[in-house]
Amino acid sequence: MEVYLDNSATTRVRSEAIEEMVRVMDINYGNPSSIHLKGYEAEKILNEARHNVAELINCEDSEIVFTSGGTESNNLALRGIAEIMKKRGNHIISSKIEHPSVLNVLKQLEEEGFVVTYLDVDEAGKIDLKELKEAISSKTILISIMSVNNEIGTIEPVESIAVLTAQYELAVFHVDGVQAAGKIEINVKNDNIHLLSLSGHKIHGPKGIGALYIKKKVRIKPIILGGGQERNLRSGTENLPGIAGFGIACKLSKEEFKGNAERLRILKKRLYDGISAEIRDIHLNGPEINDGAPQILNVSFPGVKSEVLLHALEEKGIYVSPGSACSNRKNGVSHVLKSIGLKRELAESAIRFSFGYFNTEEEIDYTVSVLKEKVSFLRKYMRR
């Protein structure tokens, strides 16, 4: 049996999205900027996809800018605001558990003279609103906090952060919503979010496509210049097949949201209950089982190194991750697990299980049985 439990790294593309992408590549292959019929047909597809993305997060179609993915969206949001606001303020606030596509941009901005406050998080991965309130000043131009953490599934208090942000005229609120879309409710209007990043391949759409929501009247400086596509905010011929597939994935995520989120939570709890019942001495990392995002479970198996267990599971057709796929080829303990104060032995034995549309209860039960066998064997072997 093959069991893919690394859906926070990437997801299998839904057949509906694949069919739409093939149709666009084969038939509607025109350039949306062309002024002939083929261009018009392509533009229509572009507009339909934009509408589907906007519907998923409750915004106007004109507030969606297509990018190459979550990383580019985060780069555009942070650098675009920093560049356009630098004459008015130089202070940015974020947290210590953000994705590298946020943290590495912030590092670069610090080298250019910006001052960044990195908020601490508690053992569940949540920021402290009091600390945030104390950090905001008249120089603060940007607050960037992720909605759902990609390693431990913490859901940050986005609505409360937006309320605090609104008290300061200059501050723009950016949310990395890559792991949240389709899994928890996102309503950028109600939550008063100014910028929100999305990625196609995290919601069973294709890789290489994403979007940035930019609230009307929020000014941002482009980081890619050229022909002026996407309202001059992201130049370059649009990746129409990717956009079409992304649009279908957003449409399906919207239509199936409630049932899918509930099913993911059931799978997550089934796996955790099975592990707890069958394997002694384990540790749940991050929020309590019912508090975090429905699709992410992070558990440590003390006495077994993460990478060793990952490959032992791989032998049985089970695919998991020791942490974020964007950083787990690098040496050292995850910055997220460090930030929640996890002891080194627990951090080095952590496994992230992340669930998606195609997972079944049968797969979860198989995973529990293989984990029981492999953890028991490896603990005996590694303690010799």
Side-chain angles (χ1 to χ4, degrees):
M1 178 182 284
E2 182 174 297
V3 183
Y4 184 77
L5 294 176
D6 200 14
N7 290 279
S8 287
T10 194
T11 56
R12 179 178 156 194
V13 181
R14 292 277 295 262
S15 59
E16 297 93 330
I18 294 172
E19 286 166 13
E20 178 68 359
M21 291 169 68
V22 170
R23 185 179 72 82
V24 169
M25 285 189 281
D26 192 33
I27 300 169
N28 301 113
Y29 49 82
N31 186 327
S33 298
S34 296
I35 57 173
H36 49 61
L37 181 60
K38 278 288 178 193
Y40 171 75
E41 290 171 351
E43 187 183 19
K44 194 176 170 193
I45 290 166
L46 185 69
N47 291 338
E48 284 174 3
R50 200 185 305 279
H51 179 70
N52 287 333
V53 178
E55 285 277 292
L56 181 63
I57 60 172
N58 191 35
C59 70
E60 304 295 325
D61 296 4
S62 60
E63 294 173 315
I64 294 295
V65 170
F66 287 113
T67 66
S68 65
T71 291
E72 186 187 324
S73 296
N74 284 340
N75 272 255
L76 175 58
L78 271 61
R79 185 156 279 287
I81 290 295
E83 287 292 333
I84 211 155
M85 298 284 285
K86 62 186 177 186
K87 288 185 180 171
R88 303 181 69 188
N90 70 339
H91 181 226
I92 299 170
I93 301 174
S94 192
S95 84
K96 291 181 177 175
I97 63 167
E98 298 298 311
H99 189 271
S101 61
V102 167
L103 293 176
N104 286 331
V105 178
L106 293 176
K107 265 188 214 170
Q108 199 175 59
L109 289 171
E110 283 182 292
E111 290 170 8
E112 296 169 19
F114 289 88
V115 177
V116 181
T117 299
Y118 298 94
L119 301 175
D120 288 318
V121 294
D122 63 18
E123 60 182 14
K126 278 207 173 178
I127 66 157
D128 182 344
L129 289 170
K130 189 179 169 197
E131 187 189 359
L132 171 60
K133 189 176 181 182
E134 289 170 355
I136 304 176
S137 75
S138 59
K139 297 278 187 186
T140 304
I141 56 170
L142 176 64
I143 297 170
S144 179
I145 303 289
M146 63 194 345
S147 178
V148 169
N149 181 266
N150 54 310
E151 291 191 38
I152 55 176
T154 307
I155 300 174
E156 298 294 351
V158 165
E159 197 176 341
S160 301
I161 298 167
V163 171
L164 285 175
T165 307
Q167 296 171 21
Y168 293 82
E169 185 191 354
L170 290 185
V172 171
F173 181 30
H174 166 247
V175 174
D176 177 354
V178 165
Q179 295 289 345
K183 314 300 190 308
I184 66 170
E185 192 85 43
I186 300 178
N187 189 320
V188 291
K189 295 290 182 202
N190 288 352
D191 292 346
N192 201 21
I193 294 168
H194 297 121
L195 303 163
L196 184 127
S197 302
L198 297 167
S199 173
H201 73 108
K202 307 293 189 182
I203 57 167
H204 300 284
K207 296 174 181 65
I209 187 67
L212 180 66
Y213 155 75
I214 305 175
K215 187 177 180 178
K216 209 173 283 180
K217 295 185 180 175
V218 170
R219 293 175 63 232
I220 189 165
K221 195 166 184 179
I223 58 174
I224 296 177
L225 304 177
Q229 288 87 347
E230 296 296 295
R231 296 187 287 121
N232 286 319
L233 290 169
R234 205 287 184 179
S235 289
T237 302
E238 294 88 347
N239 169 12
L240 196 63
I243 288 171
F246 182 32
I248 293 296
C250 287
K251 186 172 185 241
L252 294 170
S253 291
K254 173 80 175 175
E255 290 172 353
E256 301 170 0
F257 171 73
K258 283 190 179 172
N260 192 42
E262 180 59 23
R263 203 177 62 79
L264 293 176
R265 193 170 292 286
I266 288 170
L267 293 176
K268 172 182 169 179
K269 189 161 188 317
R270 190 179 184 95
L271 181 58
Y272 182 67
D273 288 347
I275 291 172
S276 301
E278 298 292 342
I279 305 172
R280 63 178 172 76
D281 189 23
I282 59 140
H283 187 272
L284 175 65
N285 303 319
E288 292 297 319
I289 197 69
N290 292 319
D291 290 344
Q295 82 277 21
I296 298 174
L297 173 67
N298 194 309
V299 178
S300 289
F301 300 88
V304 184
K305 296 281 187 190
S306 306
E307 194 171 335
V308 175
L309 181 54
L310 180 151
H311 290 303
L313 294 174
E314 184 183 23
E315 287 174 1
K316 294 286 189 176
I318 299 169
Y319 300 96
V320 296
S321 169
S324 163
C326 299
S327 57
N328 66 24
R329 288 183 185 276
K330 296 176 183 173
N331 294 326
V333 171
S334 146
H335 70 288
V336 175
L337 300 183
K338 262 188 200 172
S339 297
I340 63 172
L342 212 60
K343 290 179 181 173
R344 192 171 184 90
E345 185 191 15
L346 291 176
E348 288 179 344
S349 62
I351 292 288
R352 180 187 70 182
F353 305 90
S354 51
F355 313 93
Y357 174 81
F358 293 101
N359 291 128
T360 64
E361 292 188 353
E362 184 188 8
E363 291 178 350
I364 299 303
D365 295 343
Y366 172 70
T367 302
V368 171
S369 70
V370 172
L371 270 169
K372 181 182 177 184
E373 174 199 333
K374 293 296 183 183
V375 171
S376 174
F377 172 78
L378 290 169
R379 278 178 172 166
K380 284 180 196 168
Y381 176 79
M382 296 185 86
R383 284 172 179 167
R384 279 179 185 171

